[in-house]
């Protein structure tokens, strides 16, 4: 039965957030779950379900349901690689062959599946838990290995790529890492995940401050199918009420830190595991749930050095995006880097990437071992590293807490190109309790028209009074070309619509003395 907490949460989901949660990036086609109804006659479609691991505390195996699309000409003698696909949060598998026409026309089979707790599959969504969703992916791979028209590299080892965005990127990592843990090599031969996470806790609650707008939307999206375990609904509601990510410290409260601790690449990386396969990583520069920095962490931490030489990172304007009104941001959807690399969108880039790594073709694709990032003006900036290269002293900055207007502090004049992950160092003074401000980079011709570069802010949070405490404060990752006549600012705000109701509970002031901003400057 649906919990009362879940029913209450259902009222907060906006239609725009549901679109983003299902994995649609706004810049590509491969993340979408909706598609035209017509099925090309030359593609054979097979729908079915297989059995997978029972839910915790039960003994009945769940159904795991799929649709398989076999391209024309695929036979045992003319076997083809397979591409696995799955949906975003709140979505379901794609059942129309027309949605994958570009892949099947290129000579790939496709299997799209309903993840545990969604669509026609049974069970509940455990948010890519290795012991559950990890098993599900392995069961599907075993099924694919028995299809005689799919190319096989060995026993239970089909030639296999994977696509999908958001939650549809999460299954790729849990499948690859769990196979690496159990068999010594990943299930997949190449991946193309989009807008997904590295560290789920830091995505949902950076510095322990809940991204309330998204946490409530995630819970509400699960309500129609009652997909989440009850403790997760309760935990997200607890976080929204207290302003802190539930860690079990409140008597009778939930512990989402423990629930999510294994649910992402960070868990495996912390245990020394790295993927040695080619990966085409797509991440939204304006993504407010799994921001650009999460993609950078996957690039830097989940792949071996040799794998990065065979991999490509693309950042586009899109992802999980809700309007950024306070502080004010931008509204742009574009993918200039996929266009530059492949002459099309991310899906077209994915096909060329798979042609090279699943078929061994030389398509002339370039951009390997590089990070390609869209700017708000839809330009493409390419870098090797996202680490800061310059230091800019700002002196003292301050922000009110609980209420007030954002304050811009000038960093530098254009022309200037910044691409990567900045941060600042300084000495923090805050005399109240649960002191919070939200910081990000902005551009404008003056403080009056300064807007966030790509919509994101990160919290500076001090739960207890501090005086002159030395701090390293993370700033959102960005890619921006500041033109001549405009300036780059550090924006400090007491409130943020992404972290709605997560600001300080009492008015006050946070100051940072001896502030030095560390910037990833590409050109001046």
């Amino acid at each position: 039965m649906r919990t009362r907490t879940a029913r209450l949460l259902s009222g907060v989901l906006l239609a725009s957030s549901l679109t983003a949660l299902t994995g649609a990036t706004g810049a590509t086609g491969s993340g979408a779950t909706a598609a035209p109804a017509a099925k090309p006659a030359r593609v054979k479609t097979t729908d079915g379900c297989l059995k997978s691991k029972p839910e915790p505390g039960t003994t009945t195996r769940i159904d795991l349901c799929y649709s398989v699309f076999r391209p024309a000409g695929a036979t045992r003698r003319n076997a083809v690689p397979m591409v696995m696909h799955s949906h975003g949060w709140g979505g379901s598998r794609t059942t129309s062959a027309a949605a994958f026409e570009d892949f099947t026309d290129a000579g790939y089979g496709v299997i799209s599946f309903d993840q545990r707790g969604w669509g026609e599959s049974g069970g509940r969504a455990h948010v890519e838990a290795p012991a559950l969703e990890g098993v599900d992916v392995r069961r599907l791979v075993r099924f694919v290995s028995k299809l005689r028209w799919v190319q096989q590299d060995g026993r239970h080892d089909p030639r296999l790529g994977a696509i999908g965005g958001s939650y549809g990127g999460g299954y790729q990592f849990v499948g690859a890492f769990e196979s690496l843990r159990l068999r010594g090599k990943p299930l997949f031969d190449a991946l193309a995940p989009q807008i997904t996470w590295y560290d789920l806790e830091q995505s949902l609650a950076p510095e322990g401050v809940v991204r309330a707008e998204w946490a409530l939307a995630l819970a509400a999206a699960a309500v129609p199918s009652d997909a989440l375990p009850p403790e997760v609904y309760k935990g997200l509601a607890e976080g929204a009420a207290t302003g802190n990510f539930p860690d079990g410290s409140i008597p009778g409260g939930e512990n989402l830190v423990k629930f999510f601790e294994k649910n992402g690449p960070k868990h495996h990386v912390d245990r020394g595991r790295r993927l040695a396969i080619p990966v085409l990583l797509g991440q939204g520069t304006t993504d407010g749930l799994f921001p650009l920095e999460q993609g950078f962490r996957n690039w830097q931490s989940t792949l071996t050095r040799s794998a990065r030489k065979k991999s490509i990172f693309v950042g586009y304007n899109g992802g999980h995006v809700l309007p950024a009104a306070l502080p004010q941001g931008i509204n742009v959807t574009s993918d200039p880097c996929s266009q530059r690399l492949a002459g099309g969108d991310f899906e077209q880039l994915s096909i060329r990437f798979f042609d090279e790594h699943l078929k061994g073709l030389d398509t002339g694709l370039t951009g390997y071992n590089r990070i390609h990032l869209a700017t708000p003006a839809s330009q493409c900036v390419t870098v090797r590293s996202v680490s800061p290269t310059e230091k800019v002293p700002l002196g003292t900055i301050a922000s009110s807490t609980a209420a007030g207007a954002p304050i811009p502090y000038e960093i530098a004049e254009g022309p200037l190109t910044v691409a990567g992950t900045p941060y600042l160092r300084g000495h923090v003074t805050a005399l109240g309790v649960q002191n919070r401000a939200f910081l990000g980079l902005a551009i404008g011709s003056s403080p009056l028209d300064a807007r966030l570069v790509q919509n994101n802010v990160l919290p500076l949070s001090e739960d207890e009074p501090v005086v002159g405490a030395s701090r390293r404060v993370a700033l959102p990752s960005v890619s921006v070309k500041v033109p001549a006549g405009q300036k780059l600012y550090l924006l400090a705000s007491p409130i943020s619509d992404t972290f709605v109701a997560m600001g300080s509970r009492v008015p006050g002031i946070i100051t940072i003395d001896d502030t030095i901003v560390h910037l990833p400057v590409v050109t001046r």
Side-chain angles (χ1 to χ4, degrees):
M1 181 177 292
R2 187 181 301 170
T3 65
R4 180 175 181 272
T5 302
R7 290 196 299 270
L8 292 172
L9 287 170
S10 66
V12 306
L13 181 61
L14 301 174
S16 57
S17 64
L18 181 58
T19 298
L21 288 169
T22 58
T25 67
T28 78
S30 60
T33 57
K39 296 180 180 180
R42 57 200 178 112
V43 175
K44 181 179 180 180
T45 302
T46 303
D47 298 316
C49 301
L50 54 82
K51 296 296 183 180
S52 193
K53 186 175 180 178
E55 282 290 295
T58 70
T59 57
T60 303
R61 293 191 299 167
I62 69 156
D63 284 331
L64 198 63
C65 298
Y66 59 83
S67 296
V68 173
F69 307 96
R70 177 178 177 174
T75 65
R76 185 171 187 176
R77 291 187 176 183
N78 185 36
V80 299
M82 178 71 88
V83 173
M84 186 175 287
H85 165 269
S86 195
H87 53 83
W89 187 260
S92 59
R93 76 185 191 271
T94 298
T95 57
S96 168
F100 299 115
E101 189 171 4
D102 286 346
F103 283 95
T104 53
D105 282 353
Y108 293 96
V110 179
I111 179 169
S112 182
F113 73 98
D114 289 327
Q115 297 202 54
R116 179 180 292 254
W118 303 107
E120 294 181 302
S121 291
R124 292 183 181 270
H126 295 264
V127 200
E128 310 300 6
L132 293 164
E133 283 89 351
V135 173
D136 297 340
V137 177
R138 295 202 304 277
R139 295 281 168 84
L140 285 161
V141 174
R142 180 68 64 89
F143 167 75
V144 171
S145 74
K146 297 177 182 179
L147 299 176
R148 294 187 174 186
W149 54 269
V150 174
Q151 187 175 350
Q152 306 291 328
D153 295 322
R155 187 170 181 266
H156 304 317
D157 186 11
R159 184 72 57 86
L160 187 62
I163 59 174
S166 188
Y167 204 57
Y171 88 85
Q172 299 180 48
F173 281 118
V174 72
F177 272 116
E178 276 297 280
S179 177
L180 177 65
R181 179 179 70 87
L182 295 169
R183 296 176 50 188
K185 68 174 187 176
L187 290 165
F188 301 102
D189 298 290
L191 304 177
Q194 297 186 67
I195 56 173
T196 196
W197 69 91
Y198 171 77
D199 181 342
L200 194 53
E201 180 187 342
Q202 278 298 305
S203 295
L204 293 174
E207 306 304 319
V209 182
V210 179
R211 293 186 197 269
E213 190 173 41
W214 281 111
L216 294 174
L218 287 165
V223 167
S225 59
D226 199 19
L228 278 169
E231 61 266 31
V232 179
Y233 288 120
K234 294 176 183 177
L236 292 172
E238 178 185 322
T242 64
N244 296 306
F245 199 61
D247 60 3
S249 60
I250 296 177
E254 300 298 332
N255 190 342
L256 293 189
V257 172
K258 183 177 180 181
F259 184 89
F260 291 132
E261 66 180 348
K262 296 181 180 179
N263 297 21
K266 183 179 183 297
H267 166 74
H268 297 277
V269 170
D270 287 349
R271 284 149 185 81
R273 300 178 195 122
R274 302 289 189 277
L275 299 179
I277 56 175
V279 178
L280 172 62
L281 274 165
Q283 204 75 17
T285 59
T286 51
D287 197 305
L289 175 60
F290 303 136
L292 193 56
E293 181 268 343
Q294 288 290 304
F296 290 162
R297 293 292 298 277
N298 274 324
W299 175 263
Q300 294 163 334
S301 301
T302 66
L303 304 180
T304 64
R305 181 176 297 181
S306 62
R308 281 196 296 274
K309 292 180 180 179
K310 301 178 290 184
S311 300
I312 300 173
F313 187 106
V314 171
Y316 42 71
N317 291 311
H320 306 85
V321 179
L322 294 174
L326 193 63
Q328 191 170 15
I330 61 170
N331 181 18
V332 58
T333 298
S334 64
D335 187 5
C337 297
S338 291
Q339 177 65 37
R340 190 175 76 180
L341 292 170
D345 61 13
F346 192 88
E347 182 172 288
Q348 296 305 312
L349 177 59
S350 300
I351 292 171
R352 286 187 63 178
F353 186 79
F354 287 152
D355 281 349
E356 297 213 339
H357 296 290
L358 298 182
K359 293 184 177 181
L361 303 178
D362 183 358
T363 71
L365 182 62
T366 62
Y368 287 103
N369 202 23
R370 297 290 187 275
I371 297 168
H372 310 273
L373 302 171
T375 71
S378 297
Q379 302 154 308
C380 182
V381 175
T382 297
V383 296
R384 287 176 176 267
S385 170
V386 296
S387 299
T389 58
E390 295 189 14
K391 302 176 183 180
V392 181
L394 291 189
T396 297
I397 68 171
S399 174
S400 60
T401 62
I407 303 174
Y409 294 87
E410 183 179 330
I411 297 174
E413 295 183 349
L416 174 74
T417 300
V418 176
T421 304
Y423 65 92
L424 67 81
R425 289 190 182 275
H427 296 92
V428 176
T429 296
L431 301 181
V433 295
Q434 204 180 58
N435 309 281
R436 288 175 180 174
F438 301 92
L439 306 173
L441 296 185
I443 59 171
S445 59
S446 74
L448 296 178
D449 64 4
R451 292 189 176 191
L452 288 174
V453 170
Q454 280 155 327
N455 293 359
N456 282 312
V457 294
L458 283 174
L460 166 59
S461 181
E462 297 286 350
D463 287 339
E464 303 293 335
V466 293
V467 177
S470 179
R471 294 287 188 265
R472 183 188 189 278
V473 182
L475 297 173
S477 301
V478 297
S479 171
V480 62
K481 289 189 174 184
V482 183
Q486 294 204 333
K487 299 174 181 178
L488 183 70
Y489 295 92
L490 175 67
L491 198 68
S493 177
I495 55 178
S496 162
D497 45 16
T498 299
F499 296 89
V500 62
M502 295 295 106
S504 301
R505 300 304 165 98
V506 293
I509 295 177
I510 293 179
T511 60
I512 308 176
D513 294 314
D514 309 316
T515 305
I516 298 177
V517 177
H518 296 247
L519 284 179
V521 175
V522 180
T523 60
R524 280 189 178 272

